[in-house]
Amino acid sequence: MDYRAPTQDIGFVFRELAGLDEVLALPGFEEVNGELVDAVLEENARFVEQAVAPLNRAGDTKPATWDQGRVHTTPGFQEAFREFAAGGWQGLQHEPRWGGQGLPKLVAAATGENINSANLAFSLCPLLTDGVIEALAMVGSQAQQDLYIPPMLEGRWTGTMNLTEPQAGSDLALVKTRAVKQDDGSYRLSGQKIFITYGEHDLAENIVHLVLARTPEAPAGVKGISLFIVPKFLVNDDGTLGKRNDVWCASLEHKLGIHGSPTAVLMYGSGQGDAGPGAVGYLVGEENRGLEYMFIMMNAARFAVGIQGVALAERALQQAGAYAAERLQGRALEGSDGPVAIVHHPDVQRMLMTMRALTEGARALAYSAAAECDRARHDPDPQARARHQAVYDFLVPVVKGFSTESAVEVASLGIQVHGGMGFIEETGAAQYYRDARILPIYEGTTAIQANDFLGRKTLRDAGAVAGALAEQMRATIAQLEAQQADAGEHGAGLALIARRLTAAVAAYEQAVGFIVAHAREDQRAVFLGSVPYLMLAGVTLAGWQMARAALVCAGRPQGGDAEPFRARKLATAVFYAAHVLPRAQALSASIMEGGVAARYARAAENAE
């Protein structure tokens, strides 16, 4: 099935929910207007549909291969990456002073979604490169920025982040990679890193690794970790490439999905290359502040993985919808002369509508978060910037956790829509499920996102941001109730949305209140409900965005091509309220019963 970028829904969310016009009015975007944004989206759709999407199946069936330390990517990836680089897509959201285009993060979120939908495995290379650029832009020295960022923006070099080691997964306090300072100010690194996405490949001429390591005198734990730039090829002062560094790909992981993305085991200081023993590295910032710096990259990557969740869900939805419209099976519930397309069966409609509701709700939430980031960076009022930054920080773990868990659900439903054919690899539905399954794991599992969301994003300000968002949701409920009388045939739909959103917001507020009140006295009970709390926030906040969409679609008629789209969007919003928002109350109930559940969970653990 051919992939088509969902440009109509993207445009709707941009203008009706995320506030594109307000974002473009901020300082720094004087050269950007709505027509330019539309042109970028149109060209992005053309590129990903024609150059990237056709390689998705090939990446799954003909994955990257390892040969004596060298990695050969899927046939066709090199050509697509050259076109990606030539199109300037890597520099879309980055600063013009290094060769970027300086467009809003909101626009980059959409183009990022499209390339991830087209080919998740291919898109991981630019995703990690974006994170390296962002980290160096914020904490790298001027010389490091000037030397490393422009070639990455041009697509000549790519970037990775190296955190995980065999004994140090989520617990980075256990990192053992060693960095010894040299007389010239550089460092020599030795150690092993695993799960390094695009740690070795043939798409670009150089790879810039950001590596966590310890100096010999560093304190134990996370306070003794430093961050280093370790290029595959050393870089001369004039930007030309020098000797091959002592960083070597020992093997590639054999994975459940995203086969086209090479996941490398990297050896530092194993005596390879021609730069001498030990991988040459350069300190970023100050010693022992590496984890702090790496979190800049990780935060960018976590939002980007949330976008991947939206993207994968969109691709699975398109696949399932096309199959359901063509597959003839069974007679219509009301009776028919012969078999009908399965899309006419009520439960298939339920599954497809659930897939659409989760996808569109997650998209609206993610794009709204991206707009908050743009406001945090560009609003002229420092206090406003701080408020928007607080909201963006609050939303990032929700975008990552809710979108990726939803992607797994959507991809699983996609297989179910296909029936037995979904379990057959040739249909392609299974690939989306296999690819989706990594999304709630890498760049911090759902539990890690949830612990951050509960501990840092809710308890730190005693639920202030959470409460402010609840007030905004209640304002939307008031609009729904006020508009019901004038909505004509859509009044019942708006009433249903208002009713279900009211219950969801109450459940959300109840959970926030419980967490703030009990976190100190019964920490285990509260954190037992961290993932339910994260999902409760996702369900409710995405439902809020869908409610806002319903207000638009039930309002002024647009005519032309907009009417069928708006009718479908309104139907999806009503379905979300009826079938997804009720999850909020169940999730809240599980959080509220955390004390009793925690005691029994502990008893079960001790019984074993």
Side-chain angles (χ1 to χ4, degrees), residues 57-196:
R57 182 67 175 163
D60 191 51
T61 58
K62 299 175 182 177
T65 56
W66 180 90
D67 179 20
Q68 301 301 310
R70 297 182 178 181
V71 172
H72 305 286
T73 52
T74 298
F77 273 32
Q78 283 187 337
E79 293 78 8
F81 191 80
R82 281 197 293 269
E83 188 172 345
F84 169 85
W89 297 111
Q90 189 74 69
L92 197 73
Q93 64 177 316
H94 299 293
E95 294 188 36
R97 59 175 163 152
W98 292 306
Q101 298 174 47
L103 269 65
K105 187 179 183 72
L106 175 57
V107 178
T111 59
E113 179 195 330
N114 290 341
I115 194 171
N116 278 284
S117 276
N119 192 325
L120 185 66
F122 176 88
S123 72
L124 279 165
C125 186
L127 184 154
L128 270 299
T129 304
D130 265 338
V132 173
I133 293 168
E134 189 157 340
L136 291 181
M138 295 189 70
V139 297
S141 68
Q142 185 67 54
Q144 289 170 342
Q145 293 170 353
D146 293 341
L147 192 62
Y148 292 101
I149 291 179
M152 287 191 284
L153 291 177
E154 294 166 12
R156 293 191 291 113
W157 302 355
T158 64
T160 74
M161 61 178 175
N162 288 228
L163 289 75
T164 307
E165 299 177 6
Q167 79 292 340
S170 300
D171 187 359
L172 295 174
L174 302 178
V175 163
K176 293 182 178 179
T177 298
R178 182 178 173 88
V180 179
K181 193 170 185 178
Q182 307 297 298
D183 292 339
D184 64 358
S186 67
Y187 291 73
R188 290 279 181 167
L189 278 72
S190 58
Q192 180 183 8
K193 296 291 184 177
I194 63 173
F195 301 160
I196 310 305

Side-chain angles (χ1 to χ4, degrees), residues 457-527:
K457 306 301 166 55
T458 301
L459 291 177
R460 182 169 290 179
D461 67 358
V465 173
L469 288 171
E471 289 181 12
Q472 293 182 50
M473 288 189 278
R474 291 202 176 278
T476 298
I477 292 168
Q479 288 180 279
L480 288 163
E481 293 171 343
Q483 193 169 320
Q484 290 171 29
D486 300 324
E489 61 180 322
H490 301 312
L494 295 185
L496 186 153
I497 296 171
R499 188 166 63 250
R500 297 313 318 164
L501 184 58
T502 298
V505 173
Y508 166 84
E509 291 179 314
Q510 183 182 41
V512 172
F514 174 83
I515 288 166
V516 171
H518 294 86
R520 289 189 177 181
E521 67 187 51
D522 200 349
Q523 193 174 46
R524 181 170 290 273
V526 169
F527 275 86

Side-chain angles (χ1 to χ4, degrees), residues 421-433:
M421 295 303 294
F423 208 66
I424 305 302
E425 288 287 356
E426 284 74 10
T427 63
Q431 180 189 346
Y432 302 129
Y433 184 76

Side-chain angles (χ1 to χ4, degrees), residues 283-534:
L283 180 68
V284 178
E286 302 174 14
E287 285 190 10
N288 304 326
R289 296 182 65 185
L291 193 60
E292 172 191 340
Y293 300 150
M294 186 62 88
F295 265 109
I296 297 169
M297 186 175 182
M298 290 174 66
N299 213 40
R302 286 172 175 179
F303 178 83
V305 173
I307 292 293
Q308 287 187 321
V310 179
L312 207 290
E314 174 65 34
R315 191 69 189 267
L317 169 62
Q318 289 191 21
Q319 169 90 19
Y323 181 83
E326 296 174 357
R327 173 65 167 168
L328 300 179
Q329 189 81 16
R331 297 181 184 275
L333 190 65
E334 302 82 3
S336 61
D337 294 334
V340 296
I342 63 172
V343 72
H344 296 293
H345 299 318
D347 195 59
V348 174
Q349 292 176 345
R350 177 193 63 82
M351 289 189 288
L352 290 172
M353 287 295 286
T354 301
M355 295 171 73
R356 183 177 300 281
L358 289 171
T359 302
E360 294 186 4
R363 174 182 294 124
L365 179 58
Y367 287 14
S368 296
E372 288 295 315
C373 183
D374 287 323
R375 294 181 178 101
R377 292 176 176 177
H378 293 271
D379 196 295
D381 181 356
Q383 292 184 333
R385 288 200 301 272
R387 287 196 303 272
H388 292 303
Q389 186 65 49
V391 173
Y392 177 68
D393 290 342
F394 182 86
L395 292 177
V396 166
V398 183
V399 169
K400 202 284 187 182
F402 175 71
S403 298
T404 59
E405 293 287 356
S406 294
V408 174
E409 180 179 350
V410 169
S412 179
L413 285 171
I415 291 176
Q416 192 74 10
V417 169
H418 284 73
M421 295 303 294
F423 208 66
I424 305 302
E425 288 287 356
E426 284 74 10
T427 63
Q431 180 189 346
Y432 302 129
Y433 184 76
R434 288 187 286 101
D435 286 355
R437 198 58 196 85
I438 187 60
L439 301 180
I441 298 174
Y442 63 18
E443 304 305 337
T445 65
T446 303
I448 288 174
Q449 308 303 317
N451 289 344
D452 173 64
F453 182 58
L454 191 156
R456 292 189 180 92
K457 306 301 166 55
T458 301
L459 291 177
R460 182 169 290 179
D461 67 358
V465 173
L469 288 171
E471 289 181 12
Q472 293 182 50
M473 288 189 278
R474 291 202 176 278
T476 298
I477 292 168
Q479 288 180 279
L480 288 163
E481 293 171 343
Q483 193 169 320
Q484 290 171 29
D486 300 324
E489 61 180 322
H490 301 312
L494 295 185
L496 186 153
I497 296 171
R499 188 166 63 250
R500 297 313 318 164
L501 184 58
T502 298
V505 173
Y508 166 84
E509 291 179 314
Q510 183 182 41
V512 172
F514 174 83
I515 288 166
V516 171
H518 294 86
R520 289 189 177 181
E521 67 187 51
D522 200 349
Q523 193 174 46
R524 181 170 290 273
V526 169
F527 275 86
L528 189 68
S530 63
V531 170
Y533 172 50
L534 179 72

